Amino acid sequence: MKPASATSWTDIQAEVMRRIRTRVWQPGDLIPGEIEMAREFGCARATISRALRALADEGVLDRRRRAGTRVALTPVRRATLSIPVIRREVEARGALYRHSLLSRSDGPASPAITARMGLAAGTRLLHLQTLHLADDRPWCFEDRWINPAAVPAILDAPLSQISANEWLVQNAFFSDGDIAFQAEAASPALAEILSVPTGAPLFTIERATRTETQPITSVRISYPPGHRVTTTLTGGA
Amino acid sequence: MKPASATSWTDIQAEVMRRIRTRVWQPGDLIPGEIEMAREFGCARATISRALRALADEGVLDRRRRAGTRVALTPVRRATLSIPVIRREVEARGALYRHSLLSRSDGPASPAITARMGLAAGTRLLHLQTLHLADDRPWCFEDRWINPAAVPAILDAPLSQISANEWLVQNAFFSDGDIAFQAEAASPALAEILSVPTGAPLFTIERATRTETQPITSVRISYPPGHRVTTTLTGGA
DNA sequence: AAGTGGTCTAGACCACTGC
DNA sequence: CAGTGGTCTAGACCACTTT
């Protein structure tokens, strides 16, 4: 319990959510302005603003100057998923992590790759193929292209000791990127690497990251059948 | 362009990000306190607080009372993906949406389902199987269990006109949920429904949502090969 | 043109927590 | 228990849009 007189922004947020849940305010409805709500709750306008802004950030409310604040028409359900270091992912399951650098090459990349990364044809890229293992069983296969122009230091990194995945997370900070998930049948080559039958349903993650000015890396990670990516949804307060 | 003298919280946020990117402040480092930064930037402490709080929300900074503010050790890359209404997902690709309610039943659910939803064995649930189509071709198959105790109104909803997916998004505000992605081989039954070969790699999404007090629905959606879930990563300002 | 949200300030007190 | 972030206030001005 808390002192009955407290007027915190979380209280206001909770009350607004209650009114939305109980349909007092329905999707699309215009809700009272900040000044009016400040009067109703007996607090400063900034406190109302704090509460409503938080809900707008979550996608529950739509706020526009002059037009006022409305309950969002499509209550956006958002899931936030974090991009893990594969080593931690394995260790979190209580397994022993190991990785094996299957191939490494450095030279002009294929047009398909340079196009995908938005680079000029013939750009030299570092190409790494890594098998990640959990308790010496294949955990996932990583096929990665790196733009050395963006992270020159990677050429000197001990990539047989620390995986490119982990090195980049630690050294190539704060980039923007795209990510895509899909299901895919295992090619014969991938099937052999992952010790699964050809055609087995693989879960693949494609990720491209870049700095403000240039692409850093493009990677495709394939997981054998059974792998799940999980997260939690937040739909309200 | 803006007046050179402006000291906005976004300016401060950008400057902090710059110092992190350029390694002036490294992961784990303690950065100056709010009062000190307010002096440095010549603004109110609340403005600093606003900038740092935003970065903490993004996972770039770790803030704790008394302990101060540190650059996050694990540069948490977070992707926020929105959960769309399937109809909109289809229409966004310029296709005509249609859905077909393949089966509907109402009665005691199997122990496997009640256990997954955290309900007592034998609880009565509504079970719906829906095929969603884009331009009359199978788009995805939805297998859903709904707890009528949480949303009694669904028993009267015209589910052949509006899909349960969409009805729930509009009518059931939830406070919490889980979501999981995986790749899976098509069973003979699923293969026939989706018009794909048995064993084809399906992309499946499992989702469970609940109110604060009780589970609402548990759903499993299967997409034929080729479907991709995409989103963007934000690593900084 | 007017009214809404967005931001900033200066000051105050509170809550948590590491020393 | 002292110092940090967290919050609240009262007031002001600004920026954006819809009317």
Side-chain angles (χ1 to χ4, degrees):
Chain A
M1 285 300 152
K2 58 182 5 176
S5 63
T7 310
S8 73
W9 69 271
T10 50
D11 292 340
I12 292 162
Q13 193 188 36
E15 173 60 17
V16 170
M17 279 307 295
R18 193 190 65 77
R19 292 186 188 177
I20 293 174
R21 265 199 216 92
T22 58
R23 299 302 197 122
V24 176
W25 293 338
Q26 302 191 15
D29 280 3
L30 191 64
I31 75 172
E34 295 189 347
I35 299 170
E36 185 176 340
M37 288 186 70
R39 268 198 302 270
E40 179 194 339
F41 287 95
C43 65
R45 182 167 80 98
T47 306
I48 301 291
S49 189
R50 179 85 166 83
L52 298 186
R53 191 196 322 133
L55 289 173
D57 287 346
E58 285 181 24
V60 175
L61 297 177
D62 271 340
R63 317 195 75 195
R64 281 206 316 261
R65 286 170 155 129
R66 169 77 203 195
T69 299
R70 291 176 183 277
V71 179
L73 271 173
T74 60
V76 186
R77 278 121 153 96
R78 281 184 300 199
T80 71
L81 43 91
S82 57
I83 310 308
V85 175
I86 294 171
R87 177 173 63 78
R88 292 186 191 282
E89 187 178 280
V90 168
E91 289 172 350
R93 313 229 168 177
L96 177 70
Y97 173 76
R98 194 166 69 76
H99 77 273
S100 163
L101 186 57
L102 301 185
S103 86
R104 172 188 174 134
S105 62
D106 185 358
S110 73
I113 298 298
T114 51
R116 195 167 78 196
M117 294 181 67
L119 288 165
T123 304
R124 295 182 70 88
L125 295 177
L126 181 61
H127 183 205
L128 302 170
Q129 294 188 312
T130 308
L131 181 63
H132 299 264
L133 303 110
D135 285 341
D136 285 326
R137 287 195 304 271
W139 174 258
C140 69
F141 173 72
E142 172 186 337
D143 189 17
R144 183 185 292 272
W145 298 83
I146 301 170
N147 179 16
V151 280
I154 191 132
L155 296 173
D156 301 319
L159 293 180
S160 49
Q161 289 164 46
I162 180 173
S163 76
N165 171 275
E166 192 161 358
W167 189 92
L168 284 167
V169 165
Q170 290 180 7
N171 294 277
F173 282 110
F174 305 115
S175 44
D176 291 331
D178 307 308
I179 188 167
F181 306 99
Q182 63 187 319
E184 211 172 28
S187 68
L190 258 181
E192 191 184 336
I193 291 171
L194 289 171
S195 303
V196 298
T198 296
L202 303 182
F203 186 89
T204 73
I205 301 175
E206 281 183 31
R207 206 159 61 225
T209 61
R210 60 185 154 281
T211 66
E212 285 162 359
T213 57
Q214 59 188 342
I216 300 175
T217 184
S218 173
V219 63
R220 181 192 192 80
I221 300 175
S222 305
Y223 290 88
H227 183 75
R228 290 163 65 92
V229 170
T230 64
T231 186
T232 57
L233 286 167
T234 56
Chain B
M1 282 300 159
K2 58 181 6 176
S5 62
T7 310
S8 71
W9 70 270
T10 51
D11 292 341
I12 293 163
Q13 192 188 35
E15 172 59 18
V16 170
M17 280 305 297
R18 194 191 64 77
R19 292 185 189 177
I20 293 174
R21 259 198 222 96
T22 58
R23 303 297 204 126
V24 177
W25 293 337
Q26 301 191 16
D29 281 3
L30 192 65
I31 76 172
E34 294 188 349
I35 300 170
E36 186 176 338
M37 287 186 71
R39 268 199 302 270
E40 180 194 340
F41 287 96
C43 66
R45 181 168 79 98
T47 306
I48 302 290
S49 189
R50 178 87 165 83
L52 298 186
R53 190 195 323 133
L55 290 173
D57 287 347
E58 284 180 22
V60 174
L61 297 177
D62 270 340
R63 315 195 76 195
R64 282 206 313 260
R65 287 171 157 129
R66 168 77 204 193
T69 300
R70 291 175 182 279
V71 179
L73 271 174
T74 59
V76 188
R77 275 129 153 93
R78 281 184 300 195
T80 72
L81 44 91
S82 57
I83 311 304
V85 175
I86 294 172
R87 178 172 62 78
R88 292 186 190 283
E89 188 177 281
V90 168
E91 289 171 352
R93 313 228 170 178
L96 176 70
Y97 173 75
R98 195 166 67 78
H99 78 275
S100 160
L101 186 57
L102 301 186
S103 85
R104 172 189 174 133
S105 62
D106 184 358
S110 73
I113 298 298
T114 50
R116 195 167 80 197
M117 293 180 69
L119 288 166
T123 303
R124 294 183 72 88
L125 295 177
L126 181 60
H127 183 205
L128 302 170
Q129 294 188 313
T130 308
L131 180 63
H132 300 264
L133 302 111
D135 286 339
D136 284 327
R137 287 194 305 270
W139 174 259
C140 70
F141 173 72
E142 173 186 337
D143 190 18
R144 183 183 293 271
W145 298 82
I146 301 170
N147 178 15
V151 280
I154 192 140
L155 296 174
D156 300 319
L159 294 179
S160 49
Q161 289 165 45
I162 181 174
S163 76
N165 173 275
E166 192 160 0
W167 190 92
L168 283 167
V169 165
Q170 290 179 7
N171 293 277
F173 291 88
F174 62 88
S175 49
D176 196 9
D178 306 308
I179 188 167
F181 306 99
Q182 63 186 320
E184 211 172 28
S187 66
L190 257 181
E192 191 185 335
I193 292 171
L194 289 170
S195 303
V196 298
T198 296
L202 304 183
F203 186 89
T204 73
I205 301 176
E206 282 183 31
R207 207 157 66 225
T209 60
R210 57 186 154 280
T211 65
E212 285 160 0
T213 57
Q214 59 187 342
I216 299 175
T217 183
S218 172
V219 62
R220 181 190 192 82
I221 300 174
S222 305
Y223 290 87
H227 182 76
R228 291 164 64 93
V229 170
T230 65
T231 186
T232 57
L233 287 166
T234 55

